[in-house]
Amino acid sequence: MNADYKAYFEQHREEHLNELKEWLAIPSISALSEHKGDVAKAADWLAHKLKAAGLEHVEIHSTAGHPIITADYLHAEGKPTVLIYGHYDVQPVDPLHLWETPPFEPDVRNGKLYARGATDDKGQLFLHVKAVEAILKQEQSLPVNVKFCIEGEEEVSSPNLPLYLEQHKDKLAADAILISDTSLLAPGKPAISTGLRGLCSLELTLETANTDLHSGTYGGGVPNALHAMVELLSSLHDKQGRVSVEGFYDGVQELSAEMREEFAKQEFDEEQLKESLALDSLYGEEGFSFVERVGARPTLELNGVYGGFQGEGSKTVIPKEAHAKITCRLVADQDPQAVLDAIEKHLKAHTPAGAKLTYKPKEKAFAFNVDPSHPMLQKAADAFGAVYGTRALFTKDGGSIPIVEKLSSTLNAPAVMMGFGLPDENLHAPNEHFNLENFDLGLLTIVEYLQSI
């Protein structure tokens, strides 16, 4: 890399950080209607900065919810086109009293920038704006064609972006989709995610009698909704941690030897994890390590089970109903609707006698998966290596960002997940922050990547 870029970013560091603080001070909380004006203000701020950076055709597109921003710079004839995706909306800040400094009054301390959105995703997205700006100011041109598509609804599951993508495929067409909304494995250990789990969720209710009953008068003689629910839920897994639902694993790809080797390179310390969580043992599907279980295997988890008397003291009743909430994380080619259908069939077949089942399917999202051997991903790993001194490992993340799969499938382009956050930066929690070491190295890495492709 041209050494001028390091000098350039050092020279403009305070200016760039002050700009980012301005953006972080705007409470663009997409989930709360009272912040609709703030979300629009954050969109306007970004559009202004994209124009100032030298991007062309900067537009703010209204949707049924919050705005989508697009921009481009398309003067590298015959060169690849990169679409940069990110989001400018942020999570709510509750509980407010746990913040050491106000969430929308950005504060730098101990080499970290604290504010809501600092790492998810304003801080990471800002790196791309400034990297492109730096190349244009230094070179008066870009080595590749660049497009931006930035939304304000990722934190509320991107309800309006899929329709926009379908309607503007040609406008957004690219050879790769560049996203910074994930993390390094640890300080100095960069990673590129090649998979994000999909999901589906459901709620179920079991009803027995038409009223709660006295456990002395009726106990042992009538069905108990809680007993029935416990029996039904226990049928969902076997003793080896494998989901017992017929058809649940349809579409699940076996882990390749190469991918398992990448997981092993993480050198994850399961003993340390147990100690940090005060656990005697971990849990999961036999034959897989912790990082394989949470990154590359599907799951069925109970998120809530409730019914009967839950107040203080004792109330000796046989409850007439019980409830459960379930979320599945999905991988590879699993179809969320097919999984929901398989679970519904299993639940109906295993509902205990005397109980009536009500089943409500909820969320659905496909998993994202990309081949790490793709040249666009290999170049990204090399770019990390050139700047961090350590080539990025290829990982699979247990979380779900449904819009990534939609972007990749709609535009028929690989998503390159170059994250610069760290796992402990409290995204979605009080005291969210961004380590400024990765702010500095992230700028250089993005420049390196754009030049290398």
Side-chain angles (χ1 to χ4, degrees), residues 304-327:
V305 180
Y306 52 99
F309 178 67
Q310 299 178 56
E312 184 179 357
S314 175
K315 184 181 181 184
T316 54
V317 296
I318 297 172
K320 72 181 186 72
E321 62 184 61
H323 310 269
K325 296 177 184 285
I326 295 174
T327 298

Side-chain angles (χ1 to χ4, degrees), residues 329-346:
R329 298 288 177 167
L330 310 177
V331 300
D333 296 326
Q334 282 181 293
D335 183 327
Q337 186 59 56
V339 171
L340 287 171
D341 292 343
I343 294 172
E344 181 179 15
K345 182 178 179 181
H346 177 97

Side-chain angles (χ1 to χ4, degrees), residues 385-401:
V387 175
Y388 279 79
T390 302
R391 195 173 191 269
L393 292 177
F394 294 106
T395 65
K396 291 186 181 294
D397 292 342
S400 304
I401 310 178

Side-chain angles (χ1 to χ4, degrees), residues 183-192 384-385 388 390-394 419:
S183 301
L184 285 72
L185 289 171
K189 292 184 68 174
I192 296 171
F384 272 115
Y388 279 79
T390 302
R391 195 173 191 269
L393 292 177
F394 294 106

Side-chain angles (χ1 to χ4, degrees), residues 181-231:
D181 197 11
T182 51
S183 301
L184 285 72
L185 289 171
K189 292 184 68 174
I192 296 171
S193 177
T194 65
L196 296 165
R197 290 195 289 191
L199 64 94
C200 63
S201 64
L202 60 118
E203 297 178 7
L204 62 140
T205 298
L206 288 184
E207 296 177 279
T208 48
N210 59 5
T211 183
D212 287 353
L213 297 167
H214 190 290
S215 67
T217 305
Y218 292 93
V222 298
N224 182 314
L226 279 175
H227 291 186
M229 181 63 80
V230 171
E231 180 182 340

Side-chain angles (χ1 to χ4, degrees), residues 137-157:
K137 287 191 174 182
Q138 296 276 86
E139 314 284 351
Q140 287 73 55
S141 65
L142 294 180
V144 293
N145 300 295
V146 168
K147 299 177 181 179
F148 281 80
C149 180
I150 312 301
E151 67 163 320
E153 298 183 316
E154 191 274 344
E155 299 293 5
V156 290
S157 301

Side-chain angles (χ1 to χ4, degrees), residues 73 170 180 194 237 298 331:
Y73 195 90
D170 292 340
S180 294
T194 65
H237 294 86
V331 300

